[in-house]
């Protein structure tokens, strides 16, 4: 806090996202409805968007416009002009004909203009009187009144702007603590020790998925190198892990570990830079050096900070003279003072607000503490907060597995409304099922509390529900997600009897209602004359349909996996088992099987298609890239949910997750037969009889193929005699291998 500060400070306050509206309502009551409102923000016409907008107006085919837009590089600073200068194919397209020339000419003129308005996610303005005396207002077609001035204009006219941001992570903390309280654990997260060994171990191992500000892959890698041991390390990493100062992280780590020497130009800087090992990281340090070394007042130090952040060269030159003069008065030579000022200039450009970094690092530490000490409760609360985001649920489910926990499937008898804990594991919440709805989930949990447990007939389950809240769609979702597997019948039978079940339930509930209304009646539904329907005879869903419906509704395969039937192929041919990070295999050739998910097809500079996709395995997942030639060759196999076997080289760039650069793709179906060369059979020579050989011969000949058979006969002295069968070859079908293993032992039959 700087009493001499001229400009209004930024005031950012983050609240539990479930209660942000209450805060704004409170501010309106406190300062008056007429003095408080939210701030407008404007969406700009950016490079890709303006091409699409203008292309639509010029009636250029959508496919062509999309092709052009995809050639424009990603990035906040990308402009059409810079894209035309760097992407050769884009420049050629802009000159193809008059229509394309016109597209680019108009787009360049419109680029950067405001496209639409909306309400800023956080900004609230508070005026000392009626807002209409200070700023023009507008009432959107939907939503509350906002200013017509954006953030910058609000600052320029001197009004107080406060950011009230709804932060999901605060809800996660609140819900984790609530779950712990139900178990009798009364935890005050504001009183936890700030030097907890287990928490810093979690950060040092990079196990920070789900931890605010510290979960990106690049950040996790730096944390492993840094091995943070105090809260100051986390504050510094939060400030350094940004586009500008990121290059200083390695030096910061070396200084912490004593590999690089900490050099200071003057001893007076030591208390200021001690926590950051001699590196200027924060804006506050810039101001402190200005005050302590240059003799600036707090107001002057803040002026220097603003001049540096806004690159006001004239102001910086005049301040340099004042800084050196002030330093000389403190006994510091002109040469050293000049070097210090140049050092400030170098780092001030990247300086981050320490109070901001500290607030977020402390919050991250608290979250890390919960994850380290109460992993199941923390992951359940985290998944609840993300239950409408399938991509995040997949990431968090993967993290549950890495923590050694199980994610149990949804179950009408065991699941709560939201994700919950069951022993040391996490139970999928009913509300997490897609298209389910909170009211339906609450209705099921309420009915279960009344009945203690659902069992037996699907029809009796439905009659216990509030059908105003649990409709046909909700029942379809419950069945598809496997949540009613505890009841009689197959999923297909229950799915095809939903209409019958609802009709039966309505009749029973109407009958009970009539009885309760009757003067002499009773509500004993056990005496109902309405017969319980029977489940229809329908073909059960096959495994593929069952699992695909499950994944569609939960984002995950919870009651099995499409790769379960390829266990042998994955064990025999894979050389990557997900036990180590992909980065450990940089530049190595990997072979791994999985199902294809999250496909993103893009265009290279020659307008050829290439693709990114995720290969999802039972044990984990990897990102894959198929460049144009490979994609063209194997594009028929790059299909969502298709089981494939991939071979390629691992590529790891600093700060990014490793990826496999694909060389070859083949279907997992039939891989065992295509890739196998030898079938090995190991037998005890003292126990084997001619009948055994005849039996093996009979079994093997049923599976004609290309694999040679090799017998390994061992005696009591462990001597082994190898016999290669030349008369015929076989195919290593799973049925053949299963039959032989059952008769001669699991370890005595193997494929090469």
């Amino acid at each position: 806090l700087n009493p001499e500060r001229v400009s209004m400070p930024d005031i950012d306050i983050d609240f539990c996202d479930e209660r942000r509206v209450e805060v704004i309502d409170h501010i309106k009551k406190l300062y008056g409805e007429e003095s408080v409102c939210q701030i407008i923000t404007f969406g700009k016409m950016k490079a890709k968007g303006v091409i699409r907008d203008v292309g639509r107006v010029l009636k250029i085919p959508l496919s062509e416009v999309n092709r052009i837009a995809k050639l424009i590089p990603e990035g906040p600073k990308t402009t059409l002009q810079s894209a035309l200068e760097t992407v050769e194919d884009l420049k050629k397209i802009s000159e193809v004909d008059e229509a394309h020339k016109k597209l680019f000419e108009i787009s360049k003129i419109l680029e950067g203009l405001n496209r639409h308005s909306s309400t800023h996610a956080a900004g609230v303005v508070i005026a000392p009187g009626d807002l209409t005396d200070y700023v023009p207002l507008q009432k959107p077609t939907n939503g509350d009144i906002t200013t017509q001035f954006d953030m910058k204009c609000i600052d320029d006219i001197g009004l107080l702007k406060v950011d009230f941001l709804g932060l999901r992570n605060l809800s996660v903390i609140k819900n984790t603590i609530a779950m712990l309280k139900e178990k009798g654990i009364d935890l005050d997260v504001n009183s936890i020790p700030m030097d907890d060994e287990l928490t810093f171990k979690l950060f040092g191992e990079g196990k920070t998925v789900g931890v605010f500000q510290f979960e990106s892959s690049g950040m996790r890698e730096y944390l492993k190198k840094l091995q943070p041991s105090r809260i100051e390390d986390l504050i510094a990493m939060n400030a350094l892990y940004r586009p500008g100062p990121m290059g200083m992280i390695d030096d910061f780590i070396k200084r912490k570990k004593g590999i690089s020497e900490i050099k200071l130009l003057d001893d007076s800087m030591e208390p200021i830079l001690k926590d950051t090992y001699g590196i200027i990281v924060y804006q506050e340090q810039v101001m402190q050096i200005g005050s302590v070394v240059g003799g600036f007042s707090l107001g002057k130090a803040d002026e220097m900070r603003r001049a540096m952040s806004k690159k006001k060269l004239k102001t910086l030159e005049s301040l340099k003279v004042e800084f050196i003069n002030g330093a000389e008065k403190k006994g510091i030579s002109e040469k050293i003072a000049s070097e210090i000022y140049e050092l400030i200039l170098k780092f001030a450009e990247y300086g981050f607000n320490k109070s901001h970094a500290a607030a977020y690092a402390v919050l991250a530490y608290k979250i890390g503490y919960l994850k380290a000490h109460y992993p199941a409760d923390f992951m359940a609360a985290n998944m609840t907060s993300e239950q409408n985001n399938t991509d995040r649920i997949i990431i968090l489910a993967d993290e549950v597995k890495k923590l050694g926990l199980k994610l149990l499937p949804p179950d009408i008898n065991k699941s709560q409304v939201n994700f919950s804990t069951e022993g040391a594991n996490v139970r999928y919440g009913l509300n997490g099922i897609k298209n389910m709805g909170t009211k339906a989930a609450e209705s099921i949990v309420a009915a279960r509390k009344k009945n203690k447990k659902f069992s037996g007939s699907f029809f009796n389950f439905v009659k216990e529900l509030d059908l105003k809240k649990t409709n046909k769609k909700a029942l379809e979702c419950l069945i598809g997600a496997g949540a009613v597997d505890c009841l009689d019948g197959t999923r297909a039978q229950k799915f095809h009897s939903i209409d019958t079940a609802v009709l039966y339930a309505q009749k029973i509930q109407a009958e009970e209602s009539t009885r309760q209304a009757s003067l002499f009646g009773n509500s004993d539904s056990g005496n109902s004359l309405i017969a319980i329907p029977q489940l229809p005879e329908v073909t059960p869903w096959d495994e593929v349909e069952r699992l695909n419906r499950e994944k569609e509704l939960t984002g995950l395969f919870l009651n099995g996996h499409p790769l379960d039937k390829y266990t042998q192929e994955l064990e025999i041919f894979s050389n990557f088992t997900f036990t180590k990070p992909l980065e450990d295999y940089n530049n190595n050739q990997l072979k791994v099987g999985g199902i294809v998910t999250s496909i993103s097809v893009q265009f290279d500079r020659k307008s050829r298609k290439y693709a990114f996709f995720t290969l999802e395995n039972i044990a984990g997942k990897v990102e894959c890239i198929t460049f144009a030639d490979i994609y063209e060759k194997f594009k028929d196999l790059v299909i969502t949910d298709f089981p494939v076997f991939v071979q390629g080289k691992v590529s790891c760039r600093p700060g990014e997750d490793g990826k496999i650069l694909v060389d070859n793709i083949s279907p997992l179906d039939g891989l065992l037969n295509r890739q196998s060369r030898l079938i090995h059979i190991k037998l005890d020579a003292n126990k084997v009889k001619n009948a055994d050989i005849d039996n093996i011969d009979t079994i093997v000949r049923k599976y004609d193929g290309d694999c040679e058979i090799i017998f390994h006969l061992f005696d009591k002295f462990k001597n082994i005699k190898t016999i290669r069968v030349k008369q015929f070859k076989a195919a290593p079908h799973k049925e053949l291998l299963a039959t032989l293993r059952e008769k001669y032992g699991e370890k005595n039959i193997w494929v090469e």
Side-chain angles (χ1 to χ4, degrees):
L1 295 175
N2 184 349
E4 295 183 32
R5 181 175 177 144
V6 178
S7 60
M8 279 286 189
D10 278 339
I11 301 177
D12 292 358
I13 317 177
D14 296 348
F15 294 93
C16 171
D17 65 343
E18 296 166 1
R19 303 187 64 189
R20 176 177 177 265
V21 174
E22 291 177 49
V23 175
I24 294 174
D25 288 343
H26 167 71
I27 293 297
K28 286 179 178 177
K29 286 177 187 172
L30 194 63
Y31 296 105
E33 291 270 354
E34 298 79 15
S35 300
V36 179
C37 80
Q38 295 189 72
I39 299 172
I40 202 168
T41 186
F42 296 99
K44 303 283 184 184
M45 283 191 168
K46 295 182 180 176
K48 286 177 182 279
V50 75
I51 284 286
R52 289 193 166 101
D53 284 344
V54 174
R56 187 167 58 251
V57 175
L58 294 179
K59 296 184 179 175
I60 294 172
L62 183 61
S63 57
E64 173 65 2
V65 173
N66 284 337
R67 184 175 77 91
I68 295 167
K70 284 179 180 178
L71 288 172
I72 299 169
E74 299 286 349
K77 294 183 179 178
T78 300
T79 64
L80 275 178
Q81 190 57 44
S82 69
L84 286 166
E85 289 169 2
T86 55
V87 182
E88 190 178 330
D89 289 346
L90 199 64
K91 191 171 190 318
K92 288 178 184 175
I93 289 171
S94 71
E95 297 168 353
V96 166
D97 54 29
E98 281 304 313
H100 284 78
K101 283 180 184 176
K102 195 173 182 182
L103 170 67
F104 279 86
E105 282 172 9
I106 296 171
S107 295
K108 280 200 278 185
I109 293 167
L110 296 177
E111 186 181 14
L113 294 180
N114 291 339
R115 185 180 187 276
H116 62 269
S117 67
S118 58
T119 303
H120 191 275
V124 173
V125 62
I126 304 172
D130 287 0
L131 277 162
T132 47
D133 293 341
Y134 298 91
V135 62
L137 305 177
Q138 74 150 7
K139 182 164 177 55
T141 50
N142 55 346
D144 294 329
I145 292 170
T146 68
T147 62
Q148 286 187 37
F149 285 179
D150 66 6
M151 285 273 203
K152 189 176 181 307
C153 293
I154 294 293
D155 273 342
D156 289 344
I157 62 172
L159 285 176
L160 179 68
K161 170 186 69 69
V162 184
D163 280 358
F164 293 131
L165 193 66
L167 197 60
R168 182 187 61 81
N169 296 274
L170 292 169
S171 300
V172 170
I173 292 175
K174 183 195 80 170
N175 293 334
T176 304
I177 290 170
M179 290 168 71
L180 292 173
K181 197 159 191 172
E182 286 178 10
K183 297 177 180 178
I185 301 169
D186 203 356
L187 178 71
D188 179 3
V189 80
N190 295 314
S191 301
I192 59 173
M194 297 305 287
D195 58 354
D196 182 66
E197 191 177 325
L198 203 59
T199 304
F200 281 114
K201 184 172 182 282
L202 178 130
F203 279 97
E205 291 175 349
K207 294 181 178 177
T208 49
V209 170
V211 176
F212 180 56
Q213 296 274 304
F214 286 86
E215 68 173 329
S216 70
S217 58
M219 174 64 94
R220 296 201 307 271
E221 288 306 308
Y222 278 127
L223 287 171
K224 289 177 193 174
K225 292 179 186 177
L226 176 67
Q227 293 295 305
S229 55
R230 53 191 192 143
I231 193 68
E232 287 81 6
D233 292 341
L234 298 182
I235 295 169
M237 279 302 294
N238 189 254
L240 287 170
Y241 193 75
R242 299 172 196 281
M246 200 178 282
M248 293 187 278
I249 295 178
D250 283 326
D251 189 30
F252 180 86
I253 292 169
K254 286 175 183 174
R255 291 188 184 203
K256 173 182 167 60
K257 293 186 173 182
I259 299 168
S260 294
E261 187 183 351
I262 299 171
K263 292 180 180 177
L264 295 172
L265 290 168
D266 188 78
D267 290 344
S268 62
M269 297 166 68
E270 198 272 339
I272 300 168
L273 302 180
K274 181 183 176 182
D275 286 344
T276 54
Y277 310 106
I279 297 172
I280 300 172
V281 175
Y282 311 116
Q283 292 175 349
E284 286 88 340
Q285 288 174 321
V286 169
M287 294 165 66
Q288 282 178 293
I289 293 170
S291 177
V292 172
V293 178
F296 283 177
S297 67
L298 291 174
K300 184 67 73 175
D302 188 49
E303 185 185 340
M304 179 179 73
R305 174 193 64 80
R306 281 185 287 119
M308 287 177 175
S309 64
K310 294 181 180 178
K311 296 183 176 63
K312 293 182 177 178
L313 299 179
K314 285 185 180 179
T315 307
L316 289 174
E317 282 302 317
S318 66
L319 286 171
K320 182 177 181 178
V321 175
E322 290 183 54
F323 181 87
I324 292 171
N325 290 338
E328 285 181 321
K329 288 176 185 176
K330 297 196 171 197
I332 300 169
S333 70
E334 182 183 347
K335 180 176 178 296
I336 295 295
S338 181
E339 286 178 17
I340 292 172
Y341 194 80
E342 291 304 318
L343 187 72
I344 295 172
L345 278 178
K346 178 185 173 185
F347 287 106
E349 184 178 344
Y350 305 127
F352 192 72
N353 183 269
K354 185 178 183 181
S355 62
H356 186 130
Y360 276 1
V362 169
L363 177 59
Y365 176 87
K366 290 175 181 178
I367 293 170
Y369 182 92
L370 293 175
K371 185 176 182 182
H373 290 269
Y374 309 101
D377 301 273
F378 170 76
M379 292 308 299
N382 219 320
M383 295 181 89
T384 294
S385 74
E386 299 276 22
Q387 60 191 5
N388 295 320
N389 185 340
T390 303
D391 291 340
R392 285 292 295 168
I393 287 292
I394 293 168
I395 291 167
L396 294 173
D398 189 44
E399 185 67 6
V400 167
K401 193 187 299 180
K402 287 177 181 175
L403 291 170
L405 314 174
K406 289 180 182 175
L407 178 58
L408 306 171
D411 185 314
I412 53 170
N413 277 323
K414 296 174 181 176
S415 292
Q416 302 301 323
V417 174
N418 295 317
F419 287 79
S420 58
T421 58
E422 203 168 297
N425 300 312
V426 178
R427 173 68 72 176
Y428 205 100
L430 296 176
N431 200 20
I433 300 171
K434 201 175 287 184
N435 302 322
M436 181 68 190
T438 306
K439 288 183 179 178
E442 289 172 345
S443 166
I444 292 163
V445 172
R448 183 177 74 215
K449 284 178 181 175
K450 189 174 75 173
N451 293 277
K452 293 186 179 177
K453 187 179 179 182
F454 299 117
S455 61
S457 165
F458 174 65
F459 302 100
N460 281 338
F461 160 67
V462 177
K463 80 176 174 62
E464 298 297 334
L465 303 178
D466 182 343
L467 296 177
K468 291 176 183 175
K469 295 176 181 176
T470 314
N471 57 20
K472 179 182 175 181
K473 185 70 178 174
L475 293 171
E476 287 177 357
C477 296
L478 284 171
I479 295 165
V484 292
D485 285 357
C486 55
L487 303 177
D488 296 341
T490 66
R491 292 186 190 181
Q493 284 179 306
K494 285 173 273 198
F495 190 86
H496 283 91
S497 62
I498 289 174
D499 287 336
T500 306
V502 170
L503 191 61
Y504 168 72
Q506 287 171 340
K507 286 179 179 178
I508 290 288
Q509 289 174 7
E511 183 183 65
E512 287 183 359
S513 178
T514 303
R515 284 179 178 178
Q516 287 168 359
S518 169
L519 183 62
F520 303 105
N522 64 69
S523 58
D524 182 8
S525 59
N527 296 329
S528 174
L529 298 176
I530 303 169
I532 299 176
Q534 297 298 307
L535 290 169
E537 290 297 322
V538 293
T539 306
W541 295 337
D542 62 27
E543 187 182 28
V544 173
E545 182 175 7
R546 182 173 61 81
L547 291 175
N548 282 343
R549 283 180 185 253
E550 195 174 289
K551 190 186 181 192
E552 183 187 342
L553 291 163
T554 65
L556 305 159
F557 298 112
L558 293 166
N559 289 289
H561 200 284
L563 296 179
D564 287 340
K565 61 182 178 181
Y566 300 110
T567 305
Q568 286 188 64
E569 286 88 340
L570 297 174
E571 284 180 1
I572 293 168
F573 301 114
S574 298
N575 64 359
F576 178 60
T577 58
F578 294 89
T579 51
K580 293 182 181 178
L582 194 63
E583 289 72 20
D584 287 1
Y585 297 86
N586 194 23
N587 293 322
N588 289 338
Q589 283 287 329
L590 283 197
K591 300 175 183 179
V592 62
I595 58 170
V596 177
T597 62
S598 306
I599 304 166
S600 173
V601 178
Q602 301 184 19
F603 291 89
D604 65 14
R605 291 189 173 187
K606 295 180 181 177
S607 299
R608 299 180 303 169
K609 288 182 179 179
Y610 69 100
F612 292 86
F613 66 88
T614 301
L615 189 71
E616 190 176 306
N617 188 286
I618 297 169
K621 56 188 176 183
V622 289
E623 296 301 315
C624 300
I625 304 176
T626 53
F627 291 118
D629 292 340
I630 299 295
Y631 180 70
E632 181 60 32
K633 188 175 179 182
F634 297 110
K635 64 185 178 185
D636 291 341
L637 301 178
V638 184
I639 306 166
T640 301
D641 293 333
F642 190 69
V644 296
F645 192 76
V646 165
Q647 293 172 255
K649 187 177 180 181
V650 178
S651 172
C652 299
R653 292 183 177 181
E656 294 182 13
D657 286 334
K659 293 178 175 59
I660 295 178
L661 309 181
V662 178
D663 297 324
N664 188 68
I665 306 176
S666 54
L668 267 175
D669 269 329
L671 184 71
L672 197 62
N673 298 337
R674 293 194 306 274
Q675 296 285 338
S676 300
R677 295 291 173 263
L678 300 169
I679 298 173
H680 297 266
I681 303 173
K682 186 178 177 183
L683 301 169
D684 186 337
N686 297 318
K687 295 180 180 178
V688 70
K689 298 174 182 175
N690 288 337
D692 287 308
I693 301 297
D694 291 340
N695 183 44
I696 292 171
D697 182 76
T698 304
I699 295 169
V700 170
R701 284 182 184 274
K702 293 178 183 176
Y703 299 91
D704 187 35
D706 298 321
C707 283
E708 290 187 31
I709 313 293
I710 294 182
F711 284 99
H712 302 271
L713 301 176
F714 64 93
D715 58 25
K716 62 182 178 180
F717 302 108
K718 304 296 182 186
N719 296 317
I720 293 180
K721 183 179 181 181
T722 303
I723 302 169
R724 189 182 288 260
V725 179
K726 295 182 179 179
Q727 296 93 321
F728 63 90
K729 293 181 179 180
H733 281 289
K734 290 180 182 179
E735 296 84 355
L736 166 63
L737 299 176
T739 304
L740 292 173
R741 283 170 177 156
E742 186 179 355
K743 192 165 182 64
Y744 300 105
E746 188 77 25
K747 294 180 180 178
N748 293 328
I749 311 294
W750 71 93
V751 176
E752 184 183 334

